[in-house]
Amino acid sequence: MIEKRTPIPVGDAVNRVMKFAGTGKIESVPLQQAYGRFLAVDLIADHDIPAFDRSPYDGFAIRSEDTLGKKRVMLQVAGEIGAGSLHTKPAEPFEAVRIMTGAAIPKGFDAVVMLELVKEHTKEGKKLIELNRAYNKGDNVSFKGEDTQEGTVLVKKGTVINAGISALLAAFGYHQVPVSVKPVIGVIATGSELLEVEEALEPGKIRNSNAYMILSQIERAGAEALYFGKLKDDFDSCYKTIQKAMEQVDLLITTGGVSVGDYDYLPAIYEKLNAAVLFNKVAMRPGSVTTVAEVNGKLLFGLSGNPSACYVGFELFARPVIRKSQGNKQPHLKKVKAVLGADFKKANPFMRFVRGRIDFEEDGRISVTPSGFNKSSAVSSLADADAFILLPGGTRGYEKGMLVDALLLNDVSGSEWPWENIVPSYR
Amino acid sequence: MIEKRTPIPVGDAVNRVMKFAGTGKIESVPLQQAYGRFLAVDLIADHDIPAFDRSPYDGFAIRSEDTLGKKRVMLQVAGEIGAGSLHTKPAEPFEAVRIMTGAAIPKGFDAVVMLELVKEHTKEGKKLIELNRAYNKGDNVSFKGEDTQEGTVLVKKGTVINAGISALLAAFGYHQVPVSVKPVIGVIATGSELLEVEEALEPGKIRNSNAYMILSQIERAGAEALYFGKLKDDFDSCYKTIQKAMEQVDLLITTGGVSVGDYDYLPAIYEKLNAAVLFNKVAMRPGSVTTVAEVNGKLLFGLSGNPSACYVGFELFARPVIRKSQGNKQPHLKKVKAVLGADFKKANPFMRFVRGRIDFEEDGRISVTPSGFNKSSAVSSLADADAFILLPGGTRGYEKGMLVDALLLNDVSGSEWPWENIVPSYR
């Protein structure tokens, strides 16, 4: 007898999973190792940047009033300030101070003249400069706080640390950076047909490719992968390995064995684990058999054994859990509008996720085209894909040139909730 | 006396640098560690995928001729094949074989009926199945080679390994993966005004943020960073540290000290190192003082001490060298067309690189808007930027709504050569 399963919409399925996305712990890492991690606190400016009025150029600090209305003026050079040093002598009329890029404008001076615009003279052992125009107060001054004012929230908690954020963390003294601890994601491949990567091919068997694919997807999503190997379709050994693995990880992913066939042991294993099955059928192609269960608050993802279905299942369900648990506010794949590059005339009642490639067109639009062979069992099209073309289910198909939604696979910014306002099948 | 420097166009400058981008060595890493690395060989399919005709579903393998023209037919179940096992008994008329997803279609059978569409019966101890329609040869069969044919170049040398490529590498038996050795990039920050990140602020001084920014940029570009610390503006110590560092790295980056001021020692250091200066002035904003020199075939990048100028200099000149030396064919930042989100009415003779943010619009277009404060000294705008807005120099400005070029900072695909056909200032 085969079990009857009721498919639920993708958005509902994602919703059920996200309820169990926990809040991870925080750890402190050296700034040099913080790149790519999720910041665990709001980064707030504790001082102005610049912290003082400074010179953006090599040149001379002057008193603008000395040049007022003049076409030519001579100023005496009263000192020299390298970046990082200070000039504290009170300013006198018709004095200038040699100043380097980044140095503090000395008190009493209020403008900077670039080195290139000055004629230097020496007279009776004294250094003089000749200016050929008037300057206004503030000319060529980088003002205190003009970049960033004290108290500004510069980066929000949960943001992925990029190169610019590394610079800000340094500027505000974060030698150690509070980041979210990476969740540990376990991976188990199941299927008696699987060979190890280093084994020679045998009739009827294939090499285990899903596990390595998921290990890479875990890395891209920002978590730590723990690989438990591949298992034959055998209830007892699968049960024991899964039970033991669950203790060592924050979240466990299996591939294969979730369908309704005689060798699909995962449903029985969920039962024996006392797992609450959140869903076991999703109205999507590929990956309709994707199953997620929960045991004592931990999620157990049963992804399809078909490579494309497995890939899609990870990105839709596991990725956002990984990112949300690290405080990220846009944990889902980034959804964008794009011009469809091919016909999909055959209607499908389920929402389709076609592996595709984004192209940037000359008119500023983006288009998205299926990348190669697109069955759920396909491996080759995944190498080239950087997006899923999102085709909601319905009674009509889609035509080349239509505006559709696409989910970006390599984007780091993400979407808050992509499962609303999706372009439907045309009428 | 200040030195007169002649600015050269950005494309010419990039060209001069790229001539010295070497070809890196190859190493072999375990498949689990290959994600994000540059593949060092073409990945060629050494067998078909699938390697045999297989069943995409759980169900029964049948002989289509037994169903020809029939509305109802009973078949006897002659055996059962799990995925990975084989059925070798010769096929007899009106026989079917129970088959699991992924299993090889046994010889003599030519179609598959899904489990859900079959009625199972038992009669005199024999298993029978009842079908209610006719099937054609090939129905529900995944044919040998339909995904990938033997001999196909699946992934080209120099491509960054993504999750889909990990799957392909596994499928073709790459337990160890040949990848390019990551070049080692040295970083030295110069400037007497620099404090360590953990030091308290002092009047006239700033914390060293450029070095940490570049360390992150190096990681994003796919190289190994080696940080030599920060140096005061002192000729001898700078010279010695740079000379020693050059021996330990494939490429050295310094920040600060490349301008024409009295504390800018880098030009003199290049001279003492017998370095050939490729350029020391580029017609760009920010970063016009960006200097690149070559010593015994090794590149020495003198980036500006201004954070934004430093950031731009790295992405334009160092990033493509890092990627090209690992065999990548599109080493430059990806160039795309986008709608400008703000006015830049003031003309500038130099090409501008404005730090901006990409937005995906509802009509399928992308737009790009300046991210915050945009002086060359700015730090805060870098945190939020995911693109450079590329505004070529000219005698007119740019207006909101115009189509401009943008360079994407987080994209992994890249451009082969972005420095041609750039949208010019409007006439």
Side-chain angles (χ1 to χ4, degrees), chain B residues 387-399:
Chain B
F388 295 148
I389 308 172
L390 216 167
L391 304 176
T395 52
R396 301 235 189 166
Y398 294 83
E399 276 175 8

Side-chain angles (χ1 to χ4, degrees), chain B residues 30-49:
Chain B
L31 176 52
Q32 287 199 40
Q33 291 163 26
Y35 175 75
R37 300 294 296 270
F38 294 82
L39 188 64
V41 293
D42 283 346
L43 172 54
I44 300 168
D46 70 355
H47 64 266
D48 287 338
I49 287 190

Side-chain angles (χ1 to χ4, degrees), chain A residues 147 162 166 171 207 216 364 379-380 383, chain B residues 147 162 166 171 207 216 379-380 383:
Chain A
D147 183 346
N162 62 25
S166 293
R207 293 203 185 94
S216 294
V379 177
S380 61
Chain B
D147 183 347
N162 62 23
S166 293
R207 293 204 185 93
S216 294
V379 177
S380 61

Side-chain angles (χ1 to χ4, degrees), chain A residues 29-48:
Chain A
V29 299
L31 176 51
Q32 286 201 41
Q33 292 163 26
Y35 175 77
R37 299 294 296 270
F38 294 82
L39 188 64
V41 293
D42 283 346
L43 172 54
I44 300 168
D46 70 353
H47 65 266
D48 287 339

Side-chain angles (χ1 to χ4, degrees), chain B residues 239-257:
Chain B
Y239 173 74
K240 276 181 200 152
T241 308
I242 288 173
Q243 194 194 29
K244 218 173 142 188
M246 288 292 281
E247 292 166 13
Q248 297 176 57
V249 300
D250 295 304
L251 186 162
L252 184 66
I253 294 172
T254 63
T255 73

Side-chain angles (χ1 to χ4, degrees), chain B residues 26-93:
Chain B
I26 294 175
E27 65 181 340
S28 179
V29 298
L31 176 52
Q32 287 199 40
Q33 291 163 26
Y35 175 75
R37 300 294 296 270
F38 294 82
L39 188 64
V41 293
D42 283 346
L43 172 54
I44 300 168
D46 70 355
H47 64 266
D48 287 338
I49 287 190
F52 43 84
D53 289 353
R54 72 184 176 199
S55 175
Y57 300 120
D58 265 294
F60 291 89
I62 61 164
R63 294 159 22 101
S64 59
E65 59 186 292
D66 295 338
T67 71
L68 216 70
K70 301 208 173 125
K71 284 203 167 161
R72 182 173 169 278
V73 61
M74 297 287 274
L75 303 175
Q76 190 179 323
V77 181
E80 180 177 314
I81 335 170
S85 63
L86 299 171
H87 176 88
T88 48
K89 215 174 126 260
E92 302 283 342

